[in-house]
């Protein structure tokens, strides 16, 4: 069983660190909205599960690789 903290935090910043201030502007995550077919999404989700990774990381890697090879 978890024990309660010995003291109350003085602010939310003591609990949650704001990583966005530490990241360079171009490295901040933004949402890109586009659709894929349901079958593509299922394949992507299964691939991510099989390889213990996240769908967003696979998609970003695939986009970067595509752009490198199609300049």
């Amino acid at each position: 069983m978890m024990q309660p903290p010995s003291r109350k935090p003085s602010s939310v910043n003591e609990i949650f660190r704001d990583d966005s201030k530490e990241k360079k502007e171009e490295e901040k995550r933004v949402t890109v909205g586009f659709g894929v077919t349901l079958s593509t999404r299922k394949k992507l989700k299964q691939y991510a599960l099989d390889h213990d990774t996240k769908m967003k990381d696979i998609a970003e890697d695939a986009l970067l690789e595509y752009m490198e090879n199609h300049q």
Side-chain angles (χ1 to χ4, degrees):
M1 176 181 262
M2 291 184 62
Q3 296 296 322
S6 58
R7 67 176 182 83
K8 289 186 178 180
S10 62
S11 72
V12 73
N13 291 332
E14 282 189 41
I15 301 169
F16 301 103
R17 185 179 67 200
D18 183 8
D19 290 335
S20 64
K21 292 178 183 175
E22 297 173 11
K23 293 182 180 180
K24 293 180 182 176
E25 184 67 29
E26 63 270 8
E27 295 302 318
K28 290 183 181 178
R29 288 224 172 253
V30 296
T31 300
V32 177
F34 57 88
V36 296
T37 63
L38 182 58
S39 63
T40 298
R41 182 181 177 273
K42 286 180 180 180
K43 289 175 189 175
L44 176 59
K45 194 170 191 171
Q46 187 62 55
Y47 185 92
L49 269 170
D50 293 344
H51 293 87
D52 194 31
T53 189
K54 296 177 182 176
M55 294 189 332
K56 66 182 181 181
D57 294 334
I58 297 167
E60 185 171 14
D61 289 346
L63 287 169
L64 290 171
E65 183 178 326
Y66 180 89
M67 290 185 292
E68 286 176 12
N69 293 323
H70 293 86
Q71 288 187 11

